[in-house]
Amino acid sequence: MRSPPGPRRPVPARLVAAAVLLSALAAGAAAGAAVAGDGYGRGRRLYMRNKVLEMFYHAYDNYITYAFPHDELKPLTKSFTDSLSNLTEFERGVLWLSENLTFDVDARINLFECNIRLLGGLISGHILAKEHSSHLKDGPYQDQLLHLAENLGSRFLPAFETPTGLPYAWINLKYGVMENETTETSTSGCGSLILEMGALSRLTGDSRYEAAALRALRKLWSMRSSLNLVGTTLDVLTGKWIEYSSGIGAGVDSFYEYLIKAYVLFGSEEYWDMFHSAYLAVQKYHEADMRTGEATHWQLTSLQAFWPGLQTLLGDVAAANISHREFYNVWQRFGVLPERYLLNFGMLHPTEKYYPLRPEFAESTFYLYQATKDPWYLEVGEAIIGSLNYYTKVDGGFASVRDVSTMKLEDHQHSFFLSETCKYLFLLYDDSFLRNQNYIFTTEGHPLPIRSTWHEIIPTTHVPSNWTFSVGSPWESACHVPDVLPTHRCRTDDDCGVEAVSCRRRTCSMAGYCGLWLGVY
């Protein structure tokens, strides 16, 4: 690999994500594959782990060769788009960033994307460097990444200077909010900042970052409907909704994710209260008009595939299993997960047939295996890895799929393929990185350690009953009828029960599992 040369210039978010991933991979590689008594087999586990490593380095080496230090690789033409094999490589990344990275640039950036990619990557990279006592060629690690993160975070703060406290979606890193800047933002854009900015406040002792993110989150939650649903887009100056569609897909997804993860990371009951109400509402209404609860779409999207992982983190494993199998049915039908599948028509969306190597389904598969140790999820991982190598691997890396019905490729390897897709697949087969420390992963896959010193109140360990739980007492659904077998296996529909929230009857799939299959075959 060539060393990163060149003058001092803005670094792409891509490099930070890769550097953090490399540290995680190095930790796993040093310890060797974990051996679990799940019947999967050590040799098979090692083989799959190494297959993921091969995928990662094929994509990463081509990025370094043909695209570094630009944002992303074009793997078909081996060029770049503008928009680390062991710990030594991670150290090289830290050195390059500390010597070349500056945020004092006249550049208009998206606050949400820059927060989850750059700020999250710098914070996580700093924590990993401290935990692994990294020594650089010029001496011990001296918090270089944290200093960069604080510099970047301070440039975010002007975006929050609105009458509502809701931040602008776009900001200039050098000059702040520009004249005539758009006032429209998404629910995710202003409700998914608390992990990174909260962690920055705890690491620096400067409360401004967390206070700004929390004020925005509280304002957003105050805008919910009487059904406890939130919309998709809103105006940051007026605090009025622009788009009333509610759901768990694009524009809203990470809002739910950050509520439950903020509760785990920081321990505040406020986050739990918001999440619990929001979760119950969206489980009941699914995709609907936030004002009336009337259904708006009946679809599966690739971004929604994070939901089973969130349900697993919550402890609602039975519901997560049902959700996950719906996505897997669609994956099996096409070989990958299309961006949007119309359930009511049993067909692909006419213009959203692509698959950009998204990580959400792999992420949920990882969470479910961690919770259940069911080797079936390892076999799902094999299917994902097999599809990625068969359909998307090219000489220059891994290419996105333009149309899943023809498997025609497009010249784009997104940064999240390295920072998330490969990471979760690797951890599925080798979780030794997680053995001695509990982590929360941000929506961009950056690990943040769970520390009691960061907690306002250390959450009580909850034992879920039925499909979900509340603090201190089980939440039981009046209509819930459990499946005959606790494994959810079935031979006929009579072996399946009634789903807890929607009160809909589950049916037996062709694979022999109970679920709300919605006719996806």
Side-chain angles (χ1 to χ4, degrees), residues 82 158 173 176 291 324 326 357 366 381 420:
D82 271 326
L173 285 175
R291 300 163 295 183
H324 181 270
E326 292 184 10
L357 311 176
F366 159 72
E420 296 183 81

Side-chain angles (χ1 to χ4, degrees), residues 89-110:
E89 184 71 11
F90 174 68
E91 292 171 353
R92 186 182 303 149
V94 172
L95 271 176
W96 192 89
L97 290 169
S98 61
E99 293 172 356
N100 294 277
L101 177 56
T102 178
F103 297 118
D104 190 27
V105 290
D106 182 6
R108 180 176 179 263
I109 58 95
N110 182 274

Side-chain angles (χ1 to χ4, degrees), residues 76-94:
L76 298 179
T77 56
K78 298 180 181 178
S79 56
F80 56 80
T81 300
D82 271 326
S83 166
L84 286 153
S85 56
N86 50 37
L87 195 58
T88 301
E89 184 71 11
F90 174 68
E91 292 171 353
R92 186 182 303 149
V94 172

Side-chain angles (χ1 to χ4, degrees), residues 160 164-167 190-191 193 211-221:
F160 294 84
T164 62
L166 298 167
C190 57
L193 306 167
L214 181 55
R215 182 190 176 206
L217 186 57
R218 286 171 172 163
K219 175 60 180 177
L220 181 64
W221 183 238

